[in-house]
Structure formats: structure tokens, C-alpha cells
């Protein structure tokens, strides 16, 4: 990709990789990808956004970023802490957030927890984490602890060829196009004896020991003080959740496409870019 700079950010507790897009004096934006994806999720979108200085992170445990130490987990608040450390490293007291899926959820958590730090929120098909009823909290914790114990001896899937690894990503929990899978594979795959495996930390697939209720999660939404634009993918994860969408005090725009509409093809990337360019241009 032309005009993209690769950097590593040492945050003290972890080192993260990132792509830099846009003019140095542009509006500061930290971009956060979805679960098991990486910074290349913004490879089609970021070059189409005008006047923004975008730092697209590989979140901890993803892409070229470090994995968390043995015994540590991947809680939403830990990701939010990482983002604050990145902002500190860059000297950004205030910044915008661009997030897809898990990245959108982290963005909402951070902007609700510290509303004074975030200038704008641009969200793609993600808002709050999946909720849980209070009655199953103890049971969920038990399942998660058991899964952590079992994780130790598990090896990762090795694909004999790049093609098979790309096909596996195309048919993942959320299907993506071949082009999208190939872009994610550029940062996500590594050679190992016998073929290729995904770089992502296998602990990312463990169940969360603790989930917020929807009511708790919505407290973050209500504290957000900055302009917020949410792109809802017509065939994505949010479109059918009308009760949630009706509660959101955000600007909503529904666009055609699946959950990765900004990455799946050029036309989807253009539509999302048009929406966000209008949003960031409003003074």
C-alpha cells in the first residue's frame, strides 16, 4: 500500500504494531479493528478518508503486535488502557476513534469512560458487547476458568498452504470476501513447520469470564459527549437489533453489505468513506 507507514509503539507493558495513514497535521484518529482481524481491515477505507492522521493499530494479540503475558487476558478495559497509552505515546490529549466490530465496542467503552478525551466516534457495525443476564454470571465464570485451564495444551491449526488458510478465513464465524481474507492474511499469517498458522493469540477465542448486562453497557453510550456516527451494515450484526438501535443517541446510516462492508470490496469502502468524510468535515 502506497502512503502507509509501518510503526511499532512500545507502551511499557506491551509493544503494538500500527499502520499510519494521512497527513501528519491531520485530525488525530486511532483506528481499532475487529476480533481476530488486524490493521489491514482499514487498508481500503483509510486511504479514502480526507484530512485525518490515522493510527490503525494491531490490537494486543493480533497481527504483528505482542501477545499479552502468560496469565493475562484480553478484557475490553485492557484494550481501552492500551489505546490511552498509544495516545500518550503520540502526545495526543484528545483524539477521535474509528472502530469496527470489537474495535467499535472498545471505542464506545473508552469514549463513555473518559468522554473528555474523545473528539469524535466513527463506528462500523458495532456498539456494545453482547450482554448477559445476572443469573448466569457465576456459571459463565466457571466455564471461562475451565476453558483457561484446558487452553494450555492446545496447539494451533496449521494449514498446509496459504490458500487453505485464506479459505478458512473466508468461511470464518463472519464470512468475508477472498480479497478481504487475503488482506487480513498479509498481517495475520506466519510460516510454521508444516505450513502456515494465524499469528493471533489462541487465548482470544476463550469465553469472557465476565459480561456486562445491556443496561450496564448502555451507561457508556449515555456518557459519550462527542459527535458519533454509526454505520450499520444491512446484512451485518446490528441491522436486526432494532430495540438497541432505537436507544442510541447517535447518527445512524445503514449501508448495503455485510459485517466487513468497509473491507469486502471497493464499492463498500467508498460508501463508508463518503459517510465518514461528511461526518469528519462537519465543524
Amino acid at each position: 500500500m502506497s502512503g502507509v507507514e509501518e510503526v511499532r509503539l512500545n507502551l511499557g507493558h506491551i509493544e503494538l504494531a500500527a499502520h499510519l495513514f494521512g497527513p501528519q497535521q491531520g485530525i488525530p484518529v486511532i483506528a481499532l479493528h475487529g476480533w481476530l482481524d488486524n490493521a489491514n481491515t482499514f487498508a481500503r477505507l483509510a486511504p479514502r478518508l480526507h484530512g485525518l492522521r490515522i493510527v490503525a493499530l494491531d490490537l494486543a494479540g493480533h497481527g504483528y503486535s505482542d501477545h499479552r503475558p502468560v496469565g493475562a487476558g484480553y478484557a475490553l478495559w485492557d484494550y481501552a488502557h492500551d489505546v490511552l497509552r498509544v495516545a500518550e505515546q503520540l502526545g495526543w490529549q484528545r483524539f477521535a476513534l474509528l472502530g469496527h466490530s470489537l474495535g467499535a465496542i472498545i471505542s464506545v467503552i473508552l469514549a463513555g469512560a473518559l468522554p473528555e478525551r474523545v473528539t469524535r466516534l466513527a463506528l462500523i457495525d458495532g456498539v456494545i458487547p453482547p450482554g448477559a443476564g445476572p443469573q448466569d454470571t457465576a456459571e459463565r465464570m466457571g466455564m471461562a476458568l475451565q476453558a483457561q485451564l484446558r487452553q494450555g495444551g492446545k496447539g494451533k491449526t496449521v494449514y498446509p498452504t496459504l490458500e487453505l488458510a485464506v479459505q478458512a478465513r473466508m468461511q470464518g464465524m463472519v464470512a468475508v470476501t477472498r480479497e478481504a481474507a487475503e488482506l487480513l492474511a498479509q498481517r495475520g499469517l506466519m510460516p510454521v513447520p508444516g505450513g502456515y498458522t494465524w499469528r493471533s493469540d489462541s487465548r482470544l477465542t476463550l469465553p469472557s469470564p465476565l459480561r456486562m448486562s445491556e443496561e450496564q453497557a448502555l451507561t457508556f453510550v449515555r456518557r459519550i459527549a462527542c459527535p458519533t456516527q454509526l454505520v450499520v451494515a444491512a446484512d451485518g450484526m446490528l441491522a436486526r437489533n432494532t430495540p438497541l438501535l432505537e436507544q442510541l443517541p447517535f447518527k445512524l446510516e445503514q449501508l448495503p453489505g455485510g459485517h466487513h462492508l468497509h473491507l469486502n470490496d471497493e464499492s463498500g469502502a467508498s460508501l463508508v468513506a463518503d459517510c465518514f468524510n461528511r461526518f469528519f468535515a462537519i465543524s
Side-chain angles (χ1 to χ4, degrees), residues 67-89:
H67 295 183
R68 295 214 190 278
V70 174
Y74 287 91
L76 289 170
W77 41 90
D78 292 323
Y79 287 125
H81 173 243
D82 292 344
V83 174
L84 288 171
R85 290 278 183 205
V86 166
E88 198 171 84
Q89 186 91 313

Side-chain angles (χ1 to χ4, degrees), residues 17-34:
H19 269 163
L20 302 187
F21 298 88
Q24 277 199 324
Q25 301 312 311
I27 296 167
V29 180
I30 299 174
L32 308 174
H33 60 75

Side-chain angles (χ1 to χ4, degrees), residues 156-194:
K156 284 178 159 188
T157 305
V158 174
Y159 300 92
T161 64
L162 278 172
E163 172 61 21
L164 287 171
V166 167
Q167 281 181 19
R169 184 61 191 87
M170 287 168 67
Q171 295 153 13
M173 193 182 291
V174 179
V176 296
T177 60
R178 170 173 291 278
E179 293 84 355
E182 286 172 347
L183 280 165
L184 293 171
Q186 283 175 15
R187 287 182 84 74
L189 283 178
M190 63 180 184
V192 292

Side-chain angles (χ1 to χ4, degrees), residues 208-224:
S208 311
L210 196 61
R211 274 188 176 174
M212 286 183 254
S213 66
E214 183 169 293
E215 190 46 46
Q216 285 175 313
L218 285 170
T219 63
F220 290 88
V221 168
R222 295 189 196 107
R223 273 196 94 214
I224 290 169

Side-chain angles (χ1 to χ4, degrees), residues 14 16 36-37 58-63 65-68 74 79 199-202 204:
I14 199 166
L16 302 185
L36 298 180
D37 290 344
D58 284 340
L59 292 170
H62 296 75
S65 286
D66 287 351
H67 295 183
R68 295 214 190 278
Y74 287 91
Y79 287 125
R199 292 178 185 277
S200 47
D201 191 334
S202 49
L204 292 165

Side-chain angles (χ1 to χ4, degrees), residues 95-106:
F95 49 89
L97 290 167
L98 163 60
H100 170 242
S101 196
L102 168 65
I105 293 168
I106 297 163

